[in-house]
Amino acid sequence: MIRLQNLTKDYGSLRAVDQISFEINEGEILGFLGPNGAGKTTTLKIMTCYLSPTSGDIEVEDMNIHEDQIEIKKLIGYLPEHNPLYIDMTVYEYLRFIADIRNITDFRARMKKVIEQCGLNGVVDKPINTLSKGYKQRVGFAQAILHDPKILILDEPTSGLDPNQIVEIRNLIKELGKEKTLVISSHILQEVQAVCDRIIIINKGKIVADGSTEELKSDFQHKTELILELIAPETEISGLKENITDITLSSISKLNETAFKVEIEFDPSHDKRAEIYNYIRSKEWTLLEMHRENISLEAVFRNLTIEGEGK
Amino acid sequence: MNLAAIITRKEIKSYFNSPAAYIVLVIFLLLSGWFFASPLFINNQANLRTLFGIIPLLFLFFVPAITMGLISREKNTGTIELLATLPIKDSQIIMGKFWASVSLIGIGLLFTLIHFITIVILGTNIDFGAIFCGYIGLLMLGTVYSAIGIFASSITSNQIVSLIISFFIIFFFFILKFSLFFIPDFLVGIFQFLSIDYHFSNITRGVIDTRNIIYFVSLIILFLKLAQTSLENRNWK
């Protein structure tokens, strides 16, 4: 359990993190989301005892970051942003060095497990600077989980990787998430959507949303958007609006000679789909497609983070 | 194993993993060899006095070169974040790196023992005590310079800047002895006490006084503490 209380961090006159408070429960996979410069990395750096907060507190398992730094560091595995590594060491030397400092007693067994988990077989004796970016990222992971930490903090773990590598890393994250408390920061929505139980969105140093993926979506689903593709006489399409109450035709566009794409919006509490369908049938138009546009987390994210900027 | 010792081992390995340490050592040994050998043949004297006179000057270049990357490189590549989030204290990081550079200096001095062996073979009437004290003095000097170098390395992420800063701090302590002629009489005592050469030449003359030891030890502690403070004070970055 990690508890942040009124955490604030100033860099000179710039307030990077502004009075943030939240709790992370044991075993939770938390996605920490926000645009670049929102304060994600700063918050994580404070959690890992790299930076000290200007004010406020973090408690990790009843230990305080101002007093028990060394003990907290022992509990946490951390993959920093940009994954810094000692590139002139081999993978083995590097992990050995980390293990020595962390005083891992069953080094051989842990090493074997971690190498297998991170798919590092075959590169163990290679110098890190000869590895590809994907492999380097795996070495970073191996470093973070070598001491089997209860809490794993990953700062933008997939940034700069190609799509295949991203899938691999995500699978690794999912597997690790089964047994650990995980905090993952990202500015990529699909990523947190794919792996996290809970999402905290932060913008300009403040929390703007906190909840599960589903909760966040439903919170921001004020209207249903229905997309129709149909073959109908152009002039008669606006008849939809005149004959059915409480809908708006937000756009009509021509797909080809005969077919049109129509976007309709209505309040989700009054489902108008049956009425629309029946009207189309009564007119004997040909319906090619009808689907609801799901409001994506992306839209939620954009709404929340751009709103703040406008003010 | 002691955490600082793990850092020391890592740094020494990394010294010898790159050509830089070899180059610095070779240049140091070539120069010291030349300064040892030329009076040997020209003056027909088998002693180490010239060598002990020139090594402090060589250290002025040699020590900043070996300490410049110790912390600044970690800052530059971001690995300092990795190191600082491992369960190790900042003071242990500093001490580990400090001992690594002192060890390299020790290795450099160890190689100069070949000159000692040469004069043992060639010379007669060798003052072993003076030579022993000379080496103690040089090691002390190298240790102080290391502490200054570590401090300079801790305040920047640029190795060249670190090199220049440590060079000038060491240079300041180094040239104080030459300033004694130009300053008012009442300041001479203070400047003399601050001059590193005053304490060094005391030791090489075989007089190891507590004042000299206090001087060296307090400089070492001062600069290592400053380095630690600068490492802890990463918050404004």
Side-chain angles (χ1 to χ4, degrees), chain A residues 18-32:
Chain A
D18 195 359
Q19 299 272 331
I20 280 188
S21 304
F22 62 87
E23 282 179 16
I24 304 166
N25 298 316
E26 203 161 320
E28 202 164 43
I29 306 183
L30 176 77
F32 206 46

Side-chain angles (χ1 to χ4, degrees), chain B residues 209-222:
Chain B
D209 192 357
T210 40
R211 286 203 306 166
N212 308 135
I213 303 292
I214 288 171
Y215 172 80
F216 283 121
V217 170
S218 47
L219 272 190
I220 291 166
I221 292 174
L222 171 71

Side-chain angles (χ1 to χ4, degrees), chain A residues 231-262:
Chain A
I231 297 172
E234 189 173 2
T235 47
E236 288 179 32
I237 291 176
S238 56
L240 269 169
K241 194 186 163 202
E242 284 140 31
N243 289 286
I244 305 167
T245 52
D246 296 331
I247 66 167
T248 34
L249 290 185
S250 49
S251 86
I252 301 172
S253 54
K254 203 167 181 169
L255 290 175
N256 55 39
E257 286 301 302
T258 51
F260 292 90
K261 184 180 174 187
V262 182

Side-chain angles (χ1 to χ4, degrees), chain A residues 9-12 41 45 48-52 69-70 73-74 76 78 80-81 84-86 88-89 93-94 96-98 100-103 143, chain B residues 1 3 6-7 9-11 13-14 17-18 73-74 77-90 92 97 232 234-237:
Chain A
K9 176 72 189 173
D10 294 333
Y11 292 116
T41 298
K45 281 182 178 175
T48 52
C49 306
Y50 180 63
L51 298 180
S52 61
Q69 293 203 356
I70 296 285
K73 285 174 183 175
K74 283 181 186 168
I76 293 179
Y78 177 40
E81 198 182 9
L85 297 166
Y86 292 112
D88 52 352
M89 294 186 184
E93 283 170 343
Y94 179 62
R96 179 82 231 204
F97 170 68
I98 301 289
D100 283 343
I101 290 206
R102 290 206 177 269
N103 197 14
Q143 169 272 125
Chain B
M1 197 173 171
L3 288 177
I6 295 167
I7 301 283
R9 197 179 55 185
K10 163 191 164 274
E11 293 302 336
K13 260 194 202 165
S14 118
N17 265 340
S18 77
R73 199 175 48 229
E74 301 237 20
T77 58
T79 47
I80 191 69
E81 186 172 352
L82 195 82
L83 204 54
T85 52
L86 289 171
I88 180 169
K89 290 187 187 124
D90 288 341
Q92 290 167 323
K97 291 183 180 271
E232 280 164 358
R234 48 191 163 242
N235 289 319
W236 45 265
K237 193 192 154 191

Side-chain angles (χ1 to χ4, degrees), chain A residues 157-222:
Chain A
T158 58
S159 73
L161 299 182
D162 73 31
N164 290 334
Q165 293 166 334
I166 290 180
V167 171
E168 283 170 20
I169 294 290
R170 264 187 214 163
N171 289 338
L172 188 59
I173 292 173
K174 272 184 197 163
E175 200 186 306
L176 292 170
K178 286 177 194 158
E179 45 194 57
K180 296 182 194 312
T181 307
L182 232 80
V183 182
I184 302 165
S185 93
S186 179
H187 59 270
I188 304 163
L189 291 132
Q190 296 91 326
E191 184 161 299
V192 283
Q193 220 166 348
V195 296
C196 297
D197 310 329
R198 181 176 155 205
I199 295 172
I200 288 180
I201 300 179
I202 169 173
N203 190 36
K204 303 211 154 179
K206 287 191 164 128
I207 293 178
V208 288
D210 180 355
S212 69
T213 323
E214 291 310 312
E215 276 169 10
L216 287 186
K217 272 196 217 169
S218 62
D219 274 2
F220 289 90
Q221 197 136 24
H222 298 309

